[in-house]
């Protein structure tokens, strides 16, 4: 049993096994929290396995989690399936549609497929059925994304072609885009292209949290604010307060979850993908310059040994993410600015 949350440390379920719900999100229903995400238990960086399905856990206190198994299992008999373990299934997000009663799950495939898979179920824990496959909204290659729900309406925010964050309302069944499309963070190149897209609302304003594009190596986050769900969003700076690492406390956010019964307090779910490769301000600067120099060599200076360090760092296809840890921290909005402060340990009751 665990009586607190310990950001950055290995987290075990009630059976004593490492929790595998990466790039995940929380769903609260009937007094129970469900935490779901990528099951990386077999992803050692050597066997070609990217994600072994989507796993879920449940808790009543946010500290102790019981494994509920794979709510979306991998497809093992069809290597061409987008749910095959070798396909790069990432960042599941689930909403319950108030009109249909269905639970709607959007998955993103990175890599060559760069598309969405959309599934529905009658129960949160499944089984889920694919209703839309190989989906590229607006014909764009799909990157990181988030779904946001407000007053029965739902919105999609996704990195399209690494050319900006595309924002649109979803149809009434939450299965497609409808209405106008806006674009945020246009005209950027790596590592400044935005990933890890996370959206939440507070006191009538909408906030977007994003990371830069450096693979599994953590980098500095940015927050943006808008008076409307579709923007325009105005960047306002890094939400991580007094972060000496300049790498989002060595993590990447996947959700800002409003804590029930605690108005104005959000829980940021984040992954520390490569815990054995810590990033400090020096490494953060090195990675920024080394990646940016590829696109703008006249603007960014990088030494040969710095390029070698970049090349020797954990890469997407070879990182052992089965040992990735979680960085859960509270977020509050202070004078219009989202603020995340480091805590070695904390409990939801103390907020």
């Amino acid at each position: 049993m665990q009586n607190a949350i310990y950001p950055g440390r290995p987290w075990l379920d009630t059976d004593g096994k490492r929790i595998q719900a990466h790039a995940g999100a929380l769903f609260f229903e009937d007094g129970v929290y469900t935490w779901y995400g990528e099951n990386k238990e077999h992803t050692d960086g050597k066997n070609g396995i990217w994600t072994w399905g989507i796993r879920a856990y449940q808790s009543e206190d946010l500290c102790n989690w019981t494994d509920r198994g794979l709510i979306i299992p991998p497809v093992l008999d069809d290597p061409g399936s987008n749910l095959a373990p070798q396909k790069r299934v990432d960042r599941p997000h689930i909403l319950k549609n108030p009109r249909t009663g269905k639970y709607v799950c959007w998955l993103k495939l990175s890599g060559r497929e760069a598309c969405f898979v959309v599934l529905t179920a009658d129960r949160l824990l499944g089984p889920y059925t694919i209703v839309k496959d190989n989906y590229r909204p607006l014909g764009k290659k799909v990157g990181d994304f988030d779904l946001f729900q407000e007053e029965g309406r739902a919105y999609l925010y996704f990195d399209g072609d690494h050319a900006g964050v595309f924002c649109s309302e979803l149809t009434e069944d939450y299965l497609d885009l409808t209405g106008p499309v806006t674009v945020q963070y246009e005209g950027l190149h790596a590592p400044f292209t935005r990933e890890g897209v996370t959206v939440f609302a507070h006191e009538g304003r909408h906030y977007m949290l994003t990371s830069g594009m450096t693979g599994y190596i953590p980098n500095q986050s940015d927050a943006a604010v808008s008076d409307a769900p579709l923007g325009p969003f105005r960047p306002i700076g890094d939400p991580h307060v007094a972060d000496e690492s300049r790498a989002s406390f060595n993590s990447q956010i996947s959700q800002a979850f409003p804590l029930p019964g605690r108005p104005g307090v959000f829980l940021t779910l984040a992954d520390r993908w490569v815990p054995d490769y810590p990033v400090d301000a020096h490494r953060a600067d090195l990675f920024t310059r080394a990646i940016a120099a590829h696109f703008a060599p006249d603007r960014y200076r990088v030494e040969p040994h710095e390029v070698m360090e970049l090349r020797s760092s954990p890469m997407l296809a070879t990182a052992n993410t089965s040992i990735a840890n979680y960085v859960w921290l509270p977020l509050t909005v202070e004078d219009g600015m989202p603020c995340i402060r480091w805590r070695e340990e904390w409990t939801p009751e103390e907020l």
Side-chain angles (χ1 to χ4, degrees):
M1 297 295 291
Q2 187 166 301
N3 58 12
I5 293 172
Y6 302 91
R9 301 188 198 177
W11 203 343
L12 307 182
D13 65 19
T14 53
D15 291 327
K17 298 179 181 178
R18 186 185 285 268
I19 293 175
Q20 296 288 348
H22 297 284
L26 290 175
F27 195 103
F28 184 69
E29 189 173 51
D30 299 327
V32 176
Y33 298 94
T34 300
W35 173 12
Y36 59 89
E38 304 166 22
N39 176 25
K40 296 289 194 179
E41 63 179 320
H42 301 302
T43 308
D44 61 6
K46 300 176 182 178
N47 57 20
I49 294 174
W50 186 268
T51 300
W52 194 269
I54 305 303
R55 186 176 291 277
Y57 300 80
Q58 290 187 320
S59 172
E60 294 183 0
D61 62 8
L62 291 171
C63 297
N64 298 281
W65 295 91
T66 300
D67 185 4
R68 298 305 184 196
L70 296 172
I71 61 173
I72 302 176
V75 173
L76 304 180
D77 58 359
D78 179 8
S81 169
N82 279 334
L83 299 182
Q86 293 75 24
K87 295 298 180 73
R88 296 188 173 189
V89 174
D90 290 332
R91 302 179 71 86
H93 289 288
I94 300 174
L95 299 179
K96 185 176 183 180
N97 188 300
R99 297 176 181 84
T100 66
K102 296 280 189 181
Y103 295 87
V104 181
C105 177
W106 286 56
L107 300 171
K108 157 224 164 188
L109 271 76
S110 58
R112 181 178 59 187
E113 285 76 15
C115 67
F116 285 121
V117 178
V118 185
L119 310 92
T120 62
D122 295 321
R123 298 172 57 251
L124 176 59
L125 298 182
Y128 284 83
T129 301
I130 294 176
V131 295
K132 190 181 291 287
D133 211 351
N134 297 301
Y135 177 40
R136 288 184 174 177
L138 311 172
K140 303 293 183 181
K141 293 181 180 179
V142 169
D144 286 354
F145 77 104
D146 195 14
L147 299 179
F148 172 72
Q149 193 173 30
E150 187 173 61
E151 298 178 349
R153 294 184 172 183
Y155 302 87
L156 171 67
Y157 306 83
F158 74 100
D159 165 22
D161 288 339
H162 296 320
V165 178
F166 290 74
C167 316
S168 178
E169 186 174 348
L170 296 180
T171 52
E172 288 191 354
D173 57 11
Y174 294 1
L175 303 180
D176 208 340
L177 271 64
T178 185
V181 175
T182 63
V183 188
Q184 320 300 321
Y185 291 107
E186 290 184 274
L188 303 177
H189 60 71
F192 309 110
T193 299
R194 309 320 295 169
E195 293 193 319
V197 182
T198 302
V199 176
F200 69 97
H202 175 66
E203 295 185 345
R205 308 189 84 186
H206 297 76
Y207 295 88
M208 179 184 294
L209 308 179
T210 56
S211 70
M213 185 178 174
T214 55
Y216 281 139
I217 304 301
N219 56 62
Q220 192 171 31
S221 295
D222 188 55
V225 63
S226 171
D227 293 326
L230 296 181
F233 284 85
R234 175 175 57 87
I236 54 177
D238 188 349
H240 297 86
V241 178
D243 176 22
E244 295 182 357
S245 75
R246 290 179 54 200
S248 307
F249 298 134
N250 269 255
S251 68
Q252 183 187 42
I253 297 172
S254 59
Q255 187 190 34
F257 175 77
L259 280 175
R262 292 169 177 80
V265 180
F266 299 81
L267 170 56
T268 53
L269 281 67
D271 293 89
R272 183 170 289 174
W273 291 110
V274 284
D276 294 339
Y277 193 84
V279 173
D280 56 14
H282 169 73
R283 271 186 172 167
D285 174 68
L286 184 156
F287 273 82
T288 297
R289 288 185 291 103
I291 296 174
H294 178 76
F295 299 91
D298 295 336
R299 183 175 178 184
Y300 296 95
R301 180 180 176 83
V302 59
E303 301 295 333
H305 72 274
E306 294 177 319
V307 175
M308 291 301 298
E309 181 167 352
L310 172 66
R311 291 176 178 173
S312 64
S313 66
M315 296 294 170
L316 287 173
T318 58
N320 179 8
T321 52
S322 69
I323 61 169
N325 292 325
Y326 306 98
V327 177
W328 285 22
L329 291 167
L331 177 152
T332 54
V333 179
E334 303 170 15
D335 295 326
M337 179 69 192
C339 295
I340 305 169
R341 291 180 172 84
W342 177 258
R343 301 182 183 214
E344 290 291 338
E345 64 178 83
W346 61 282
T347 65
E349 289 75 21
E350 70 189 47
L351 300 177

